[in-house]
Amino acid sequence: MPEIHGIIAYPVTPFDSTDSVDTAALSALVDRLVSAGVHAIAPLGSTGELAYLDESEFDAVVDTTIAATDGRVPVVVGASDLTTANTIRRARYAEKAGAAAVMILPVSYWKLTEREITAHYASIGESIGIPIMAYNNPATSGIDMSPELLVRMFETIDNLTMVKESTGELSRMRRIAELSGGQLPFYNGSNPLVLDALRVGAAGWCTAAPCLRPQPCIDLYDAVRGGDLARAEAIYAELKPLLEFIVAGGLPTTVKAGLELLGAGVGDPRRPLLPLDDAGRAELRGLLTSV
């Protein structure tokens, strides 16, 4: 399996004027990200509006993304769903299409117990042969997986080999490293936390920011990895207002607006999400010219 590290870029899912997935625009976006030098592509997370896609659309995004990367970087496919059965269907599809790994967020109408969460991941793991990145983001899923639970699953589920931690709590990342003896790679999913997360050993940064400004994101990662913390802090200081804005305004909404402002429009987010308003667009335009 190729190493998954560094800047793991989240492309939005483009829609055309009929609200259909625009595969040509998606292919162009993925190619720009890979050509810019990101280290992996992760379609179909929150940024990719996975929750608003049907199964044929999911499959089309997987196929288009993997074709566009053309083996140049690993593809980590978000395959989460409300049911274990359909999560397995999606994970199997991603594996067959050529994904390097799948990212799984436990999503449920009912709050899941730790026993249920473990059984969910174990069933998925038994159904595929590629690695699983467990994704902890209680702000979107309503389910919070503790470091203790994540490490226990890492120790008992063979192909659960990575964690994306998006709570924005640095102490959780430290705890994962401590409990696993440094054996469980963790990835930062909180944009404003990126500098601190990389400093404490995050294997990568899962982010939609490269859709708008890929080079500063790559430079930040390289600076931390190279031990040039002064340069990393300077890059982060310039990036921080943009990172905070796109998170606060909703990633599909703000990133799509930003791409349009940059001349690479990918359509509007899917309802019930709405396009960014005029005031937000004006603020975003200023942020894009300042980075």
Side-chain angles (χ1 to χ4, degrees):
M1 180 194 109
E3 181 187 2
I4 297 172
H5 74 283
I7 302 302
I8 302 167
Y10 287 144
V12 294
T13 298
F15 298 113
D16 63 21
S17 59
T18 68
D19 197 38
S20 299
V21 173
D22 188 336
T23 55
L26 175 59
S27 182
L29 174 58
V30 170
D31 182 66
R32 286 198 302 274
L33 288 166
V34 176
S35 298
V38 303
H39 303 95
I41 297 290
L44 296 166
S46 305
T47 303
E49 297 178 73
L50 172 60
Y52 304 133
L53 303 181
D54 64 25
E55 294 310 292
S56 65
E57 292 172 327
F58 172 92
D59 295 351
V61 170
V62 171
D63 292 338
T64 300
T65 303
I66 290 175
T69 60
D70 194 25
R72 291 175 288 173
V73 296
V75 176
V76 182
V77 172
S80 312
D81 191 61
L82 280 167
T83 67
T84 301
N86 202 48
T87 304
I88 289 172
R89 189 211 76 83
R90 290 176 169 182
R92 284 174 168 166
Y93 191 92
E95 179 179 25
K96 185 177 180 181
V102 290
M103 181 176 65
I104 304 295
L105 176 77
V107 183
S108 183
Y109 179 86
W110 295 104
K111 184 175 180 179
L112 302 179
T113 64
E114 290 193 352
R115 182 172 67 93
E116 290 167 331
I117 293 168
T118 301
H120 180 65
Y121 278 101
S123 295
I124 299 162
E126 291 166 359
S127 302
I128 58 174
I130 56 176
I132 297 170
M133 177 185 287
Y135 177 17
N136 188 46
N137 190 354
T140 56
S141 70
I143 296 171
D144 190 0
M145 295 185 287
S146 68
E148 289 77 9
L149 173 60
L150 290 165
V151 172
R152 283 200 303 273
M153 291 195 297
F154 167 66
E155 292 172 343
T156 57
I157 300 172
D158 288 343
N159 50 347
L160 195 158
T161 62
M162 301 169 278
V163 170
K164 177 188 171 187
E165 173 49 61
S166 296
T167 59
E169 297 179 19
L170 196 64
S171 61
R172 290 177 179 246
M173 296 183 187
R174 290 194 173 109
R175 184 67 172 152
I176 288 168
E178 175 190 352
L179 290 170
S180 69
Q183 297 303 301
L184 174 54
F186 58 89
Y187 299 76
N188 174 59
S190 172
N191 280 323
L193 189 68
V194 57
L195 181 56
D196 288 337
L198 291 174
R199 280 172 165 170
V200 301
W205 176 20
C206 303
T207 176
C211 292
L212 304 180
R213 285 291 183 261
Q215 197 59 54
C217 298
I218 295 166
D219 290 345
L220 175 59
Y221 174 75
D222 288 343
V224 176
R225 197 177 191 188
D228 191 346
L229 295 183
R231 182 166 182 260
E233 289 171 356
I235 296 167
Y236 176 70
E238 291 185 0
L239 264 178
K240 185 179 178 183
L242 176 63
L243 298 178
E244 292 177 339
F245 180 88
I246 63 175
V247 171
L251 291 170
T253 295
T254 55
V255 172
K256 286 187 171 183
L259 285 167
E260 184 179 353
L261 290 169
L262 293 171
V266 291
D268 293 334
R270 180 166 277 178
R271 296 290 186 103
L273 301 179
L274 293 174
L276 192 63
D277 60 23
D278 290 343
R281 287 170 63 86
E283 183 176 354
L284 180 55
R285 183 180 290 108
L287 292 170
L288 290 173
T289 56
S290 66
V291 176

